[in-house]
Amino acid sequence: MNDLEPALLLSVHPRFATAILTGSKTVEVRRQRVAAPPGTTVVLYATAPTMALVGLARIAAVNVGSPREVWRAHRAQTGISRKEFDEYMSGATQASGLTLEEPQPFEEPVPLSALRAAGTFHPPQSYRYLTGEALRPVAEASPSTGAVLSGILGEPVPA
């Protein structure tokens, strides 16, 4: 991976991270436009109480539209009820449905404390883009995760 091909660091509730990694949730919805092309690697950060990087997935497609359009297109794949969707999207004029594929759970989650010890790591409120340079400390924080991330970085990660 080079700086022209960033990964997407996505913060999700632990329940949704588990559902994505088991393949029962294949579409993650966001309240704003996500401009990530198909093929982009997604690094999943499970929020409290887990507070750890838990796995990877790949973006197969991004559907941007009104919340209503995104719900119509993806409701069965979102892993949430219509009520949860409407509450989350309240006030939003645009939404993104990220179709995810190839979920890959980490052998061991990488806790926030290890991420911060390896460098300045701040989990995003929703999502942010990560360059290869930003992923190196993440890879170095856990040997098993580093092996997975080295494929994304395009280089071996020191043990």
Side-chain angles (χ1 to χ4, degrees), residues 6 22 44 60 75 83 93 99 104 115 117 132 137 139 141 144-145 150 158-159:
T22 61
L44 295 170
R75 66 178 157 237
K83 181 181 180 197
T93 57
T99 301
Q104 185 174 2
L115 294 166
S144 62
T145 302
S150 66

Side-chain angles (χ1 to χ4, degrees), residues 1-8 35-41 129-136 152-153:
M1 183 179 110
N2 60 43
D3 288 341
L4 299 176
E5 299 173 23
L8 190 68
T40 299
T41 298
Y129 298 98
L130 289 175
T131 61
E133 187 175 313
L135 274 174
R136 267 184 209 89
I152 299 165
L153 293 167

Side-chain angles (χ1 to χ4, degrees), residues 22-46:
T22 61
S24 63
K25 175 181 173 67
T26 57
V27 173
E28 176 63 18
V29 292
R30 294 292 147 149
R31 291 175 46 95
Q32 65 271 29
R33 175 177 168 70
V34 176
T40 299
T41 298
V42 174
V43 180
L44 295 170
Y45 175 81

Side-chain angles (χ1 to χ4, degrees), residues 15-156:
R15 152 184 164 211
F16 301 133
T18 299
I20 290 167
L21 294 171
T22 61
S24 63
K25 175 181 173 67
T26 57
V27 173
E28 176 63 18
V29 292
R30 294 292 147 149
R31 291 175 46 95
Q32 65 271 29
R33 175 177 168 70
V34 176
T40 299
T41 298
V42 174
V43 180
L44 295 170
Y45 175 81
T47 60
T50 304
M51 299 189 327
L53 294 179
V54 294
L56 303 173
R58 192 164 306 283
I59 294 178
V62 178
N63 179 11
V64 178
S66 70
R68 179 184 216 156
E69 292 166 336
V70 170
W71 177 255
R72 277 192 197 140
H74 302 292
R75 66 178 157 237
Q77 295 87 32
T78 63
I80 59 175
S81 69
R82 178 62 191 254
K83 181 181 180 197
E84 288 173 303
F85 181 85
D86 288 344
E87 286 172 0
Y88 175 64
M89 290 293 170
S90 178
T93 57
Q94 195 172 52
S96 293
L98 306 175
T99 301
L100 302 175
E101 62 184 4
E102 301 174 25
Q104 185 174 2
F106 292 152
E107 224 173 270
E108 298 175 30
V110 184
L112 182 58
S113 57
L115 294 166
R116 287 192 170 150
T120 56
F121 180 85
H122 302 285
Q125 190 72 14
S126 179
Y127 71 92
R128 71 180 163 100
Y129 298 98
L130 289 175
T131 61
E133 187 175 313
L135 274 174
R136 267 184 209 89
V138 171
E140 292 167 4
S142 165
S144 62
T145 302
V148 174
L149 291 176
S150 66
I152 299 165
L153 293 167
E155 61 191 53

